[in-house]
Amino acid sequence: MSDGSDIDQLDAPPPISAELRAKILADPNVAKIAAELEMDIDTFVNTVGYYLNNPGVEPAFLVASDENLRKMGVEPPSAEALEANVRASVEAFKAGQSPSGFDAPRKKAVDMSSMGGEPVKIKADPGLEDAVKKGKGVQKP
């Protein structure tokens, strides 16, 4: 269930502002495109406006009847062809999710502390700090 913050399904696109509607309808091709798509002009304008207002939204899955597909010059696929396509897609997803040779666990790094020995001790030169402090005020020509 949705919490209401997202639009899960729409029977029709939501209405848009009058300003955006006027801007879209100013294009003389809008009516022609709506007619070509056999869409009501208001539905078409609201759809265009919805995608203009929400540029990151992907179009919804569209189901077309076999009759409408044939009108568009597309022969609808058979149930067997659809099943084969779904199975191939599932296999492709599985292949993309399986680990590659590059994902193999790496060998454990060598633990240097187990090699024995003592840590290196830094011996500070007490005269060096004094020399640095004295040299800070001196400017070279």
Side-chain angles (χ1 to χ4, degrees):
M1 286 198 139
S2 176
D3 62 0
S5 62
D6 296 331
I7 298 174
D8 294 331
Q9 285 186 326
L10 294 174
D11 291 331
I16 59 172
S17 70
E19 295 83 19
L20 185 55
R21 173 176 297 285
K23 185 175 181 181
I24 294 169
L25 288 171
D27 184 338
N29 294 314
V30 168
K32 293 176 189 175
I33 295 169
E36 185 69 30
L37 294 173
E38 298 177 2
M39 287 180 75
D40 174 65
I41 187 75
D42 288 331
T43 303
F44 182 75
V45 169
N46 285 337
T47 302
V48 171
Y50 176 77
Y51 288 109
L52 283 172
N53 287 331
N54 303 285
V57 172
E58 292 289 326
F61 183 77
L62 179 63
V63 177
S65 69
D66 290 355
E67 179 183 315
N68 285 340
L69 287 174
R70 286 187 182 101
K71 284 181 186 177
M72 292 185 277
V74 177
E75 186 58 33
S78 66
E80 294 79 18
L82 288 173
E83 181 182 354
N85 182 281
V86 169
R87 289 186 185 279
S89 297
V90 168
E91 290 304 316
F93 284 126
K94 284 181 183 177
Q97 293 173 349
S98 65
S100 68
F102 296 105
D103 294 334
R106 297 176 185 226
K107 293 180 182 177
K108 186 177 178 185
V110 177
D111 185 10
M112 298 301 284
S113 64
S114 66
M115 301 294 284
E118 295 181 24
V120 176
K121 295 179 182 175
I122 299 173
K123 296 179 182 176
D125 182 2
L128 180 60
E129 187 176 349
D130 292 336
V132 169
K133 286 181 183 177
K134 288 178 184 175
K136 282 186 179 180
V138 178
Q139 293 182 355
K140 296 183 180 180

